[in-house]
Every structure is written in structure tokens, then in C-alpha cells.
Amino acid sequence: MSPDQLGVLIKETQAVLNQRMDEVLRPLGLSVSQYACLRNLHEEPGITGSELARRTFVSRQSMNVLVQGLERQGLVERAPEPGPRRERGAMLTHAATEILARADNAVSDVVGAMTEHLGQEQRNELHALLSACRDALARESSR
């Protein structure tokens, strides 16, 4: 398999995964980007919008709009400290924690379907290989 074929295969897999995640998250009132935002806020409460944007692969402006939408839905609240609103850390509300648990289960089912034909050792190897590829590209972009 040539490098370009591998790149296309990874992109195709990501596109189908994103589509399936969207299908299971939509009934919960979430987009894939909103889910990623909530997941990151759960893992690191108070993280800034800039860091959230970096971790969810959207622009800072898009993340600000996304967080505002989550605020209107009652899923996120911003830290009360003074300063520019978009740079104040955000935190999940109780309602978000409940929705996130349901979303995690739905996404877990999608990933389970994607990897059901793989044994545990193969899943571990896939995780290690994809992590190594991601890290190699991240090092390249920081040079």
C-alpha cells in the first residue's frame, strides 16, 4: 500500500466514523464537535476556549460560538473570574454530565462496531500505531 493510499484510507475511516458518531449523537442534541468539547471539559474543567479549539480541531472563533451554544443549552457555564469572556474557563453543568454519559455510551457502541472484528491485542496495537502516527505528525508541525 502506498503512502497516499494509506492517507486516503485513514481519511475515509475518519469520515465514516464521524458520520456514525453524528447519527448517534444527533438524537441527544449534540454534534460531534459539541461532544468533543464536552468530553474535553469533563477531562479538564476550566480549560480555556483556545485550548479547547486546539484539542477539537476547530478555530478559536468556531469554538467560541460552539461554547456559547452549549451555554444557551444549559450544558456549560463559564468561570466567573474577570477577563475576556472567550478566555474564561468553561465547566460542565450537571445536565451536561448526564448527557455526556449517554453520549459516551453511544460513541462507545460505534467504536465497538468499528473494532468488533479485532481481538484485544489488535485493538491495542491499532491504538499504539495510530498514536505513534499522530505524535510523529504533531512533532513535524511544531518544527
Side-chain angles (χ1 to χ4, degrees), residues 97-133:
T97 303
E98 292 176 1
I99 287 176
L100 183 58
R102 292 171 46 208
D104 282 342
N105 286 334
V107 168
S108 181
D109 289 346
V110 170
V111 174
M114 179 178 72
T115 60
E116 70 185 352
H117 65 284
L118 303 176
Q120 186 60 47
E121 188 174 317
Q122 289 175 311
R123 286 192 297 273
N124 292 343
E125 185 177 6
L126 177 62
H127 184 273
L129 292 170
L130 288 172
S131 295
C133 291

Side-chain angles (χ1 to χ4, degrees), residues 13 16 39 64 68 75 101 115:
T13 304
V16 174
R39 172 95 323 269
N64 192 41
Q68 286 175 0
L75 300 176
T115 60

Side-chain angles (χ1 to χ4, degrees), residues 21-77:
M21 287 174 60
D22 182 63
E23 289 169 0
V24 300
L25 292 171
R26 196 176 318 122
L28 299 174
L30 295 175
S31 68
V32 174
S33 294
Q34 288 172 319
Y35 170 72
C37 179
L38 294 178
R39 172 95 323 269
N40 277 286
L41 285 173
H42 176 74
E43 292 171 4
E44 193 171 338
I47 188 173
T48 65
S50 295
E51 183 61 18
L52 270 173
R54 188 184 69 73
R55 290 183 186 186
T56 57
F57 309 103
V58 299
S59 69
R60 283 184 12 209
Q61 296 83 358
S62 294
M63 180 53 64
N64 192 41
V65 170
L66 194 142
V67 170
Q68 286 175 0
L70 291 170
E71 278 184 291
R72 282 191 298 277
Q73 289 177 264
L75 300 176
V76 167
E77 36 188 48

